[in-house]
Amino acid sequence: MSARDLLHLRAAGVSLVLDVRDGLLPAVLHWGHDLGDVSSADLAAFAVAAVPGTVQNDLDDPARAVALLPEHAAGWNGRPGLTGSRSGQGWSPRFTLTGFDVTADGADNRVIATGADDVAGLTVRIEIELLPSGLVRQRATVTSTAEDAYGLEGLRLTLPVPPVATELFDLAGRWGRERSPQRLPFVVGVHSRENRRGRTGPDAPLVLAAGTAGFDTRGGEIWAVHVAWSGNHISYAERLSGGATVLGGGELLLPGEVVLGSGESYTTPWVYGAHGTGLDAIAARFHTHLRSRPQHPRGPRPVVMNTWEAVYFDHDLARLTELARLGAEAGVERYVLDDGWFRHRRDDTAGLGDWYVDEGVWPDGLHPLVEAVRGLGMEFGLWVEPEMVNLDSDLARAHPDWVLGTDGRTPLPSRHQQVLDLANPDAYAYILERLDALLGEYPISYLKWDHNRDLLEAGGRTGTPGVHAQTLAVYRLLDELRARHPGVEIESCSSGGLRVDLGVLEHTDRVWGSDVIDPLERQQIQRWTAQLIPPELVGSHVGAPHSHTTGRTHDLSFRAGTALFDSFGIEWDLTNATDVERTELASWVAFYKEVRELLHTGTVVRAPQHDPSFAVHGVVAPDGSDALFALVQLVTPETSVPGVVRLPGLDPARRYRVGLQPPGDRPAMRGLRAPEWLAEGVTLPGSVLEHAGLRAPALFPEQLLLIRVRAAD
C-alpha cells in the first residue's frame, strides 16, 4: 500500500479519508470528526482495521468500502450510482481508475478521479472537494465512448455514515406550510425522497440528515446531504442488511431525458455533505459556505416594500405613489411593484408571457411611478414570471408550440398557467429580449422572479421529458441577465418558498421564504429554512394585522419580530394603517437597520424545543460579543408557570449583560408578576445562560419577546 492509495483531507474540524486501492473508483473510509495529524503508517493501519469480516453467503472476499459511485460489479447490492444501458447492454459497468489528481493545500482540498469501462463504452469523472467550511461536495460526469446511444437513467453519488446513525431527519410540507420537520428510524431499506415537480417543491427534504439517537439542534453527531438542483431530484438514505449505510442523491432523470451519443457527456448537480454536532452545526457549515462565495451580497440587506398584499392587481398610480410615500416615511429602501403591471393582466387568468407594460393602465409606462419611488430615495424593483405562460395571452396564441406538453396534449392547468419551453431557442430569445429591454428602459435594481406551477407532463419539442433542459435553460437565462445587468439583484420566488436550494442560489441573490407571511406559520418555516439558508438570503415581510392566507390576526410586535430575523420587508397597505401603527412599524425598521449586520453575519442558534409551546432562536456575533434572541410563545403551555429559557451559542467563559430589547420588549403577558430579571436585566456567564438559563415569562400565545445579550467585559 502506497501513500497514493489513501488520502486524508482536513478542514474546519472534518476529516475525509479516501481509498483508491486496487485501481477502483474512490471509496470513503471515514467522513466525520477530524482525526488529527494522522501519519501514513496510521492511515494504512486504519485501512486494515476498517476491513470487515465475512459471513455465510457473503462474497468470498471482504467487501470494499462503498465507493462514491457505488457499483454492483464491486459488490454493492444496494441502489447503484449509475443506471442506464445501450438497449439492455452495458447496464452494470465496472470502472477502472485511470487518473487521480489531488490538490490539498488547506484552503483548497480537491480531488479529481477518472475511470473507464471500455466494454461498457463509458468514462466517468468524479470531483470531490472538502471546502473550507467543512462541507464535502461532489459531482460526477459520465461520457459515452461507444457508437451506440447510451440511455442514462440516473447518476447518483453517495457518502457513508456509520452504524451509530440510527435516526433520520428531513423536511416535508405543502404550499403555505413549507419545511415541516419529520423524523423516523434509520432501518434496513431505503428512505427515498423523490421530487417530480420540476422545481424544488414545498415538500423537498432540503437536507436529509442521519444522526445518533435523539439528536437535536445542539447535540448529537449528524451527517447530512443536500442536492443543489432546482429540477427533479432525489435524496435517499440506505442501509443494507450487511450493515453498509449511505446517504446519497442526484438529479432524478425522466425516461429518455438524457441519451448520450458518442463523445457526449452528462454532469450531475453538486451533492453536498455536512457533518457536525447538532443541527445548528450542520446549518453553520452551509451558512459559512454561502457567505464565502464571491457573489454573496455584501451590502446591508435593504428594507423591502412589496405591493402584492397591499393592492394585488389593482394598479393605480396615485395609490401606488401614496404607498411609496408612506413606505419611505417608515424607512423602506427598496420598493417592488408586484404582479399586474403588464398587458392583459387584470387577474391571474391572462397575460403571462406578454412582457410589455400595459398601456391601458400605464399610459406613460412605469416612468411616473419609478421616478416617484426613486425621488423618495428608494430603489425600484419589479415582479416577473418568465418561465410561465397563460394560454390567454398574445404569446401563446402566436406560438402555441412554445408551451411544454406531451403527446400533442396540453398539461392540466395549474393557476391558469402552462410552462414556456425555455429550451426552445426562439422562446428563450424572446424572454431574454423582453427582460433585457425592461432592465434597459427602467432603472430597476431588483427582480422578484416567480415560478408558480409544477412542471407536470412537461415535454419538450421532441416529445421527450423537458425538465432537465428547462432547468439548465433557466440557470442560463438568469446568468445572461446578470451579466448584462450586474447591478440587478434577483429573488427566487416559486409559489413562495418552493424553489429554495443551493442550485438556484448560484444564480440569484435571495429566496422568498413562503407566500404565507402569517408570523405563526413563519416561525416554523423560517426556523427550518435556516437549516440550509442564512437569514440574509431569505425574504420575510410584515403583513397586515389580518392574514389573508390563514385568517389569523396578530399584533404588530409579533409580525415584525418574526420578519426581523431574515431579510426584512413590508407587505401591507399602509394607507389602511393608523398613525400609531406606522410609528411602531418605523421603530421596527430602524431597529432592523441597527442590527442587520449582526443578524446577517452572525451564527444562527436554535434552542432545542423541549416544550413545543414555545421556541427560542437567535443570532450570535462572530466574536461572541453580542447576540439577539427571540422567545416565541407559539401556543398555550401545559404548565401554568413556564420553565427556563436557555440561550445557546455564547462564549462560556465570558460574562454577559442580559436585558430586554426594544421595540420587542412589550409582549402581552398573562402572568400577574413577571420574573424579576426582566425589570433590570442580569449579568451572568455564558455557561450559565446556555446550561442553566433564565426563568421564562408567562406570555399569551402568539407573542414574541426580544432578548439582547452583550458581553460585559
Side-chain angles (χ1 to χ4, degrees):
M1 184 185 304
S2 69
R4 179 181 171 82
D5 293 327
L6 299 168
L7 177 66
H8 182 199
L9 303 176
R10 302 168 64 195
V14 173
S15 279
L16 180 69
V17 179
L18 295 173
D19 177 3
V20 290
R21 290 173 294 171
D22 304 322
L24 300 177
L25 295 178
V28 175
L29 293 183
H30 172 80
W31 168 46
H33 285 303
D34 190 351
L35 301 179
D37 190 11
V38 180
S39 68
S40 297
D42 286 340
L43 276 181
F46 169 58
V48 172
V51 177
T54 58
V55 295
Q56 284 184 320
N57 290 315
D58 246 352
L59 297 172
D60 291 341
D61 295 323
R64 184 175 179 265
V66 184
L68 297 169
L69 185 69
E71 300 170 283
H72 278 329
W76 175 252
N77 62 3
R79 172 176 282 169
L82 174 64
T83 53
S85 73
R86 303 180 193 280
S87 300
Q89 302 299 309
W91 58 271
S92 180
R94 181 180 178 89
F95 289 105
T96 301
L97 191 71
T98 57
F100 190 66
D101 297 322
V102 179
T103 302
D105 59 9
D108 184 12
N109 292 303
R110 181 162 43 91
V111 173
I112 297 176
T114 56
D117 181 340
D118 294 337
V119 175
L122 297 170
T123 64
V124 67
R125 183 179 190 267
I126 301 175
E127 302 168 66
I128 317 106
E129 298 179 357
L130 179 57
L131 301 170
S133 62
L135 289 176
V136 176
R137 71 174 183 179
Q138 52 179 331
R139 64 182 177 186
T141 300
V142 63
T143 302
S144 175
T145 59
E147 292 184 3
D148 294 342
Y150 181 80
L152 182 65
E153 298 172 5
L155 184 57
R156 298 166 289 266
L157 295 164
T158 66
L159 286 166
V161 294
V164 295
T166 58
E167 289 184 8
L168 295 175
F169 169 97
D170 60 15
L171 300 168
R174 57 171 172 79
W175 177 85
R177 205 176 191 280
E178 299 90 341
R179 288 173 283 289
S180 297
Q182 58 184 17
R183 283 179 178 266
L184 64 158
F186 196 170
V187 297
V188 172
V190 179
H191 173 67
S192 183
R193 298 297 306 280
E194 299 185 0
N195 181 291
R196 299 174 186 272
R197 295 177 176 270
R199 55 175 170 171
T200 319
D203 51 350
L206 204 69
V207 295
L208 171 57
T212 53
F215 70 87
D216 56 27
T217 55
R218 305 299 296 174
E221 192 175 6
I222 303 171
W223 297 260
V225 294
H226 168 77
V227 179
W229 183 246
S230 307
N232 294 335
H233 59 279
I234 179 172
S235 303
Y236 66 96
E238 183 170 20
R239 173 162 281 155
L240 302 187
S241 60
T245 307
V246 297
L247 297 176
E251 183 180 6
L252 193 158
L253 295 174
L254 298 176
E257 196 160 27
V258 175
V259 177
L260 302 177
S262 181
E264 293 182 336
S265 300
Y266 164 83
T267 300
T268 71
W270 286 109
V271 179
Y272 286 79
H275 171 267
T277 300
L279 288 165
D280 279 1
I282 299 297
R285 294 205 187 279
F286 284 110
H287 297 183
T288 299
H289 167 66
L290 287 166
R291 287 170 172 171
S292 71
R293 301 170 304 150
Q295 74 270 31
H296 189 76
R298 302 297 171 193
R301 295 294 80 212
V303 178
V304 173
M305 170 173 274
N306 185 281
T307 65
W308 176 243
E309 291 196 12
V311 303
Y312 298 103
F313 293 103
D314 185 13
H315 283 201
D316 174 81
L317 177 59
R319 184 181 180 188
L320 289 165
T321 302
E322 176 62 8
L323 190 62
R325 186 189 68 79
L326 293 173
E329 190 177 87
V332 169
E333 297 162 305
R334 174 181 285 163
Y335 179 97
V336 181
L337 182 66
D338 210 282
D339 196 355
W341 56 268
F342 49 98
R343 285 180 184 167
H344 315 125
R345 190 67 167 176
R346 304 282 55 82
D347 57 34
D348 67 352
T349 65
L352 279 179
D354 298 341
W355 300 110
Y356 297 85
V357 177
D358 193 312
E359 300 88 348
V361 179
W362 301 96
D364 298 314
L366 297 177
H367 295 289
L369 179 61
V370 174
E371 290 167 5
V373 166
R374 289 171 59 83
L376 290 165
M378 297 181 290
E379 297 176 354
F380 182 80
L382 195 64
W383 179 96
V384 294
E385 192 172 1
E387 301 160 67
M388 301 298 154
V389 62
N390 291 125
L391 296 185
D392 185 1
S393 67
D394 292 343
L395 180 67
R397 283 185 284 271
H399 300 285
D401 56 314
W402 289 4
V403 177
L404 286 174
T406 301
D407 295 335
R409 63 177 177 264
T410 302
L412 294 172
S414 177
R415 294 180 62 154
H416 312 289
Q417 298 178 193
Q418 296 295 335
V419 183
L420 193 64
D421 184 4
L422 292 180
N424 182 318
D426 295 330
Y428 179 96
Y430 165 77
I431 292 295
L432 176 61
E433 184 278 327
R434 281 289 78 225
L435 296 180
D436 184 42
L438 287 164
L439 294 173
E441 180 177 357
Y442 298 101
I444 296 170
S445 301
Y446 182 82
L447 288 179
K448 179 181 178 181
W449 186 295
D450 216 339
H451 176 283
N452 276 317
R453 69 154 291 161
D454 292 343
L455 274 64
L456 300 178
E457 276 211 315
R461 288 175 298 162
T462 63
T464 57
V467 175
H468 172 75
Q470 180 81 356
T471 307
L472 293 177
V474 171
Y475 287 169
R476 191 167 66 253
L477 178 61
L478 288 163
D479 290 346
E480 179 65 24
L481 283 170
R482 285 154 62 94
R484 295 186 184 190
H485 305 277
V488 176
E489 292 191 358
I490 301 177
E491 175 185 78
S492 170
C493 176
S494 182
S495 303
L498 276 60
R499 187 154 64 181
V500 175
D501 60 78
L502 298 195
V504 79
L505 273 172
E506 287 300 303
H507 312 276
T508 57
D509 303 284
R510 187 174 103 146
V511 296
W512 182 226
S514 174
D515 274 345
V516 171
I517 54 178
D518 174 324
L520 184 61
E521 299 295 336
R522 273 294 188 125
Q523 280 292 327
Q524 289 300 310
I525 291 169
Q526 292 174 196
R527 182 179 182 89
W528 296 113
T529 301
Q531 192 56 50
L532 183 70
I533 312 295
E536 64 270 26
L537 298 183
V538 182
S540 186
H541 294 174
V542 180
H546 183 78
S547 171
H548 86 284
T549 54
T550 66
R552 295 191 187 101
T553 299
H554 291 110
D555 295 341
L556 177 53
S557 62
F558 190 46
R559 286 142 51 211
T562 299
L564 176 75
F565 282 86
D566 280 336
S567 184
F568 186 88
I570 301 165
E571 199 151 339
W572 176 13
D573 186 356
L574 295 185
T575 64
N576 291 329
T578 66
D579 290 343
V580 171
E581 288 175 320
R582 288 196 290 266
T583 299
E584 183 181 354
L585 177 63
S587 71
W588 280 98
V589 170
F591 180 60
Y592 168 76
K593 292 178 180 179
E594 175 189 325
V595 296
R596 60 185 163 189
E597 182 177 0
L598 165 65
L599 297 173
H600 297 164
T601 63
T603 301
V604 172
V605 293
R606 298 162 296 181
Q609 283 186 272
H610 63 276
D611 181 344
S613 73
F614 74 89
V616 176
H617 66 90
V619 179
V620 180
D623 64 359
S625 65
D626 193 5
L628 181 67
F629 292 90
L631 165 61
V632 187
Q633 192 69 49
L634 301 167
V635 297
T636 56
E638 291 184 359
T639 57
S640 60
V641 179
V644 297
V645 177
R646 293 182 176 183
L647 304 180
L650 301 169
D651 184 340
R654 298 178 80 168
R655 295 177 63 78
Y656 290 92
R657 182 67 182 169
V658 183
L660 303 188
Q661 174 63 64
D665 58 340
R666 298 185 302 277
M669 296 193 184
R670 60 181 175 82
L672 298 177
R673 187 177 68 183
E676 292 186 11
W677 72 270
L678 267 69
E680 301 296 334
V682 66
T683 301
L684 288 168
S687 58
V688 174
L689 293 170
E690 176 155 9
H691 299 295
L694 307 163
R695 177 62 65 175
L699 304 181
F700 280 112
E702 300 172 23
Q703 296 288 315
L704 176 148
L705 181 70
L706 291 183
I707 302 171
R708 192 68 175 269
V709 182
R710 291 187 173 100
D713 49 8

Coordinates of all heavy atoms in Angstrom, one line a residue, residues 515-559:
D515 N -45.2 32.1 0.6 CA -46.2 33.0 0.3 C -47.0 33.4 1.6 O -47.8 34.4 1.6 CB -47.2 32.5 -0.7 CG -46.7 32.7 -2.2 OD1 -45.8 33.6 -2.3 OD2 -47.2 32.1 -3.1
V516 N -47.0 32.6 2.6 CA -47.7 32.9 3.8 C -46.8 33.7 4.7 O -45.7 33.3 5.1 CB -48.1 31.6 4.5 CG1 -48.6 31.8 5.9 CG2 -49.1 30.8 3.7
I517 N -47.2 34.9 5.1 CA -46.5 35.8 6.0 C -47.1 35.9 7.3 O -46.8 36.8 8.1 CB -46.1 37.1 5.4 CG1 -47.4 37.9 4.9 CG2 -45.1 37.0 4.2 CD1 -47.1 39.2 4.3
D518 N -48.1 35.1 7.6 CA -48.7 34.9 8.9 C -47.5 34.5 9.8 O -46.8 33.5 9.6 CB -49.7 33.8 8.9 CG -50.2 33.4 10.3 OD1 -49.5 33.4 11.3 OD2 -51.4 33.1 10.4
P519 N -47.2 35.3 10.9 CA -46.0 35.1 11.7 C -46.0 33.8 12.4 O -44.9 33.2 12.7 CB -45.9 36.3 12.6 CG -47.3 36.8 12.7 CD -47.9 36.5 11.4
L520 N -47.1 33.2 12.8 CA -47.1 32.0 13.5 C -46.6 30.8 12.5 O -45.8 30.0 12.9 CB -48.5 31.6 14.0 CG -48.6 30.4 14.8 CD1 -47.8 30.4 16.1 CD2 -50.1 30.1 15.2
E521 N -47.1 30.8 11.3 CA -46.6 29.9 10.3 C -45.2 30.1 10.0 O -44.4 29.2 9.9 CB -47.5 29.9 9.0 CG -48.9 29.6 9.2 CD -49.2 28.2 9.6 OE1 -48.3 27.3 9.4 OE2 -50.3 27.9 10.2
R522 N -44.8 31.4 9.9 CA -43.4 31.8 9.5 C -42.4 31.4 10.6 O -41.2 31.1 10.3 CB -43.4 33.3 9.2 CG -43.7 33.7 7.8 CD -42.6 33.1 6.8 NE -42.8 33.6 5.5 CZ -41.9 34.3 4.8 NH1 -40.7 34.5 5.3 NH2 -42.1 34.7 3.6
Q523 N -42.8 31.3 11.8 CA -41.9 30.9 12.9 C -41.2 29.5 12.6 O -40.0 29.4 12.7 CB -42.5 30.9 14.3 CG -42.7 32.2 14.9 CD -41.3 32.8 15.3 OE1 -40.4 32.1 15.6 NE2 -41.3 34.2 15.2
Q524 N -42.1 28.6 12.2 CA -41.5 27.2 11.9 C -40.9 27.2 10.5 O -39.9 26.5 10.3 CB -42.6 26.2 12.0 CG -43.1 25.9 13.5 CD -41.9 25.4 14.3 OE1 -41.2 24.5 13.9 NE2 -41.7 26.0 15.5
I525 N -41.5 27.9 9.5 CA -41.0 27.9 8.2 C -39.6 28.5 8.2 O -38.6 27.9 7.6 CB -41.9 28.7 7.2 CG1 -43.2 28.0 7.0 CG2 -41.2 29.0 5.9 CD1 -44.2 28.8 6.3
Q526 N -39.4 29.6 8.9 CA -38.1 30.2 8.9 C -37.1 29.4 9.8 O -35.9 29.4 9.5 CB -38.2 31.7 9.5 CG -38.9 32.6 8.5 CD -39.2 34.0 9.0 OE1 -40.0 34.7 8.4 NE2 -38.6 34.4 10.0
R527 N -37.6 28.8 10.9 CA -36.7 28.0 11.7 C -36.0 26.9 10.9 O -34.8 26.7 11.1 CB -37.5 27.4 12.9 CG -36.7 26.6 13.9 CD -37.5 26.0 14.9 NE -36.8 25.2 15.9 CZ -36.3 25.7 17.0 NH1 -36.3 27.0 17.3 NH2 -35.6 25.0 17.9
W528 N -36.7 26.3 10.0 CA -36.2 25.2 9.3 C -35.6 25.6 7.9 O -34.7 24.9 7.4 CB -37.2 24.0 9.2 CG -37.5 23.5 10.5 CD1 -38.7 23.6 11.2 CD2 -36.6 22.9 11.4 NE1 -38.5 23.1 12.5 CE2 -37.2 22.6 12.6 CE3 -35.2 22.6 11.4 CZ2 -36.6 22.0 13.7 CZ3 -34.6 21.9 12.4 CH2 -35.3 21.7 13.6
T529 N -36.0 26.7 7.3 CA -35.3 27.2 6.2 C -33.9 27.5 6.5 O -33.0 27.3 5.7 CB -36.0 28.5 5.6 OG1 -37.4 28.2 5.3 CG2 -35.3 29.0 4.4
A530 N -33.7 28.0 7.8 CA -32.3 28.3 8.3 C -31.4 27.0 8.4 O -30.2 27.2 8.6 CB -32.4 29.0 9.6
Q531 N -32.0 25.8 8.2 CA -31.2 24.7 8.2 C -30.2 24.6 7.0 O -29.2 24.0 7.1 CB -32.0 23.4 8.2 CG -31.3 22.1 8.5 CD -30.5 22.2 9.8 OE1 -31.1 22.5 10.9 NE2 -29.3 21.8 9.8
L532 N -30.6 25.4 6.0 CA -29.7 25.4 4.8 C -29.3 26.9 4.5 O -28.1 27.1 4.1 CB -30.5 24.9 3.6 CG -29.7 24.8 2.3 CD1 -28.6 23.7 2.4 CD2 -30.6 24.4 1.1
I533 N -30.2 27.8 4.6 CA -30.0 29.2 4.0 C -29.8 30.2 5.2 O -30.6 30.2 6.1 CB -31.2 29.6 3.2 CG1 -31.6 28.5 2.2 CG2 -30.9 30.9 2.5 CD1 -30.6 28.2 1.2
P534 N -28.8 31.0 5.1 CA -28.6 32.1 6.1 C -29.6 33.1 6.0 O -30.2 33.3 5.0 CB -27.2 32.6 5.8 CG -27.0 32.4 4.4 CD -27.7 31.1 4.1
P535 N -29.9 33.9 7.1 CA -31.1 34.8 7.2 C -31.0 35.9 6.2 O -32.1 36.3 5.7 CB -31.1 35.3 8.6 CG -29.7 35.0 9.2 CD -29.2 33.8 8.4
E536 N -29.9 36.4 5.8 CA -29.8 37.5 4.8 C -30.3 37.1 3.5 O -30.6 38.0 2.6 CB -28.4 38.1 4.8 CG -27.3 37.1 4.2 CD -26.6 36.3 5.3 OE1 -27.2 36.0 6.3 OE2 -25.5 35.9 5.0
L537 N -30.4 35.8 3.2 CA -30.9 35.4 1.8 C -32.3 34.9 1.8 O -32.8 34.4 0.8 CB -30.0 34.2 1.4 CG -28.5 34.5 1.2 CD1 -27.8 33.3 0.7 CD2 -28.3 35.7 0.3
V538 N -33.0 35.1 2.9 CA -34.4 34.7 3.0 C -35.3 35.9 3.2 O -35.2 36.6 4.3 CB -34.6 33.7 4.1 CG1 -36.1 33.2 4.2 CG2 -33.7 32.5 4.0
G539 N -36.2 36.2 2.3 CA -37.1 37.3 2.4 C -38.3 37.0 3.4 O -38.8 35.9 3.4
S540 N -38.5 38.0 4.3 CA -39.6 37.8 5.3 C -40.2 39.2 5.5 O -39.5 40.1 5.9 CB -39.1 37.2 6.6 OG -40.2 37.0 7.5
H541 N -41.5 39.3 5.4 CA -42.2 40.6 5.4 C -43.2 40.7 6.5 O -43.8 39.7 6.9 CB -42.9 40.9 4.0 CG -41.9 41.0 2.9 ND1 -42.3 41.1 1.6 CD2 -40.5 41.1 2.9 CE1 -41.2 41.2 0.8 NE2 -40.1 41.2 1.6
V542 N -43.5 42.0 6.9 CA -44.5 42.3 7.8 C -45.8 42.5 7.0 O -45.9 43.4 6.2 CB -44.2 43.6 8.6 CG1 -45.3 43.9 9.6 CG2 -42.9 43.5 9.3
G543 N -46.8 41.7 7.3 CA -48.1 41.8 6.6 C -49.1 42.6 7.4 O -48.8 43.2 8.5
A544 N -50.3 42.7 6.9 CA -51.4 43.4 7.6 C -51.8 42.6 8.9 O -51.4 41.4 9.1 CB -52.6 43.4 6.7
P545 N -52.4 43.3 9.8 CA -52.8 42.6 11.0 C -53.6 41.3 10.8 O -53.4 40.3 11.5 CB -53.7 43.6 11.8 CG -53.2 44.9 11.3 CD -52.9 44.7 9.8
H546 N -54.5 41.3 9.8 CA -55.3 40.1 9.5 C -54.6 39.4 8.3 O -54.5 40.0 7.2 CB -56.7 40.5 9.2 CG -57.6 39.3 8.9 ND1 -58.1 38.5 9.9 CD2 -58.1 38.8 7.8 CE1 -58.9 37.6 9.4 NE2 -58.9 37.7 8.1
S547 N -54.2 38.2 8.4 CA -53.6 37.4 7.4 C -54.6 36.9 6.4 O -55.5 36.2 6.8 CB -52.7 36.3 7.9 OG -52.3 35.4 6.9
H548 N -54.4 37.2 5.1 CA -55.4 36.7 4.1 C -55.2 35.2 3.8 O -56.1 34.6 3.2 CB -55.3 37.6 2.8 CG -54.3 37.1 1.8 ND1 -52.9 37.3 2.0 CD2 -54.4 36.4 0.7 CE1 -52.3 36.8 1.0 NE2 -53.1 36.2 0.2
T549 N -54.1 34.6 4.2 CA -53.8 33.2 3.8 C -54.3 32.3 5.0 O -54.5 31.1 4.7 CB -52.3 33.0 3.6 OG1 -51.6 33.5 4.7 CG2 -51.9 33.7 2.3
T550 N -54.4 32.8 6.2 CA -54.8 31.9 7.3 C -56.0 32.4 8.1 O -56.6 31.7 8.8 CB -53.6 31.8 8.3 OG1 -53.3 33.1 8.9 CG2 -52.3 31.3 7.6
G551 N -56.3 33.7 7.9 CA -57.4 34.3 8.7 C -57.1 34.7 10.1 O -58.0 35.2 10.8
R552 N -55.8 34.5 10.5 CA -55.5 34.9 11.9 C -55.2 36.4 11.9 O -54.8 37.0 10.9 CB -54.2 34.2 12.3 CG -54.3 32.7 12.5 CD -53.1 32.1 13.2 NE -53.1 30.7 13.2 CZ -52.4 29.9 12.4 NH1 -51.6 30.5 11.5 NH2 -52.4 28.6 12.5
T553 N -55.3 37.0 13.1 CA -54.9 38.4 13.4 C -53.8 38.4 14.5 O -53.9 37.7 15.5 CB -56.2 39.1 13.9 OG1 -57.2 39.1 12.9 CG2 -55.8 40.6 14.2
H554 N -52.8 39.2 14.2 CA -51.6 39.2 15.1 C -51.2 40.7 15.4 O -51.4 41.6 14.6 CB -50.5 38.5 14.5 CG -50.6 37.0 14.4 ND1 -50.8 36.3 13.2 CD2 -50.7 36.1 15.4 CE1 -51.0 35.0 13.5 NE2 -50.9 34.9 14.8
D555 N -50.6 40.8 16.6 CA -50.0 42.1 17.0 C -48.9 42.5 16.0 O -48.2 41.6 15.5 CB -49.5 42.1 18.4 CG -50.6 41.9 19.4 OD1 -51.8 42.2 19.1 OD2 -50.3 41.5 20.6
L556 N -48.6 43.7 15.9 CA -47.5 44.2 15.0 C -46.2 43.7 15.6 O -45.3 43.3 14.8 CB -47.5 45.7 14.9 CG -46.4 46.3 14.1 CD1 -46.2 45.7 12.8 CD2 -46.6 47.9 14.0
S557 N -46.0 43.7 16.9 CA -44.8 43.2 17.5 C -44.5 41.8 17.1 O -43.3 41.4 16.9 CB -44.8 43.4 19.0 OG -45.8 42.5 19.6
F558 N -45.5 40.9 17.0 CA -45.3 39.5 16.6 C -44.9 39.4 15.1 O -44.0 38.7 14.7 CB -46.5 38.7 17.0 CG -46.3 37.2 16.8 CD1 -45.2 36.6 17.4 CD2 -47.3 36.4 16.2 CE1 -45.0 35.2 17.2 CE2 -47.1 35.0 16.1 CZ -46.0 34.4 16.6
R559 N -45.6 40.2 14.3 CA -45.4 40.2 12.9 C -44.0 40.7 12.6 O -43.2 40.1 11.8 CB -46.4 41.0 12.2 CG -47.8 40.4 12.1 CD -49.0 41.3 12.2 NE -48.9 42.5 11.4 CZ -49.4 43.7 11.7 NH1 -50.0 43.8 12.9 NH2 -49.3 44.7 10.9

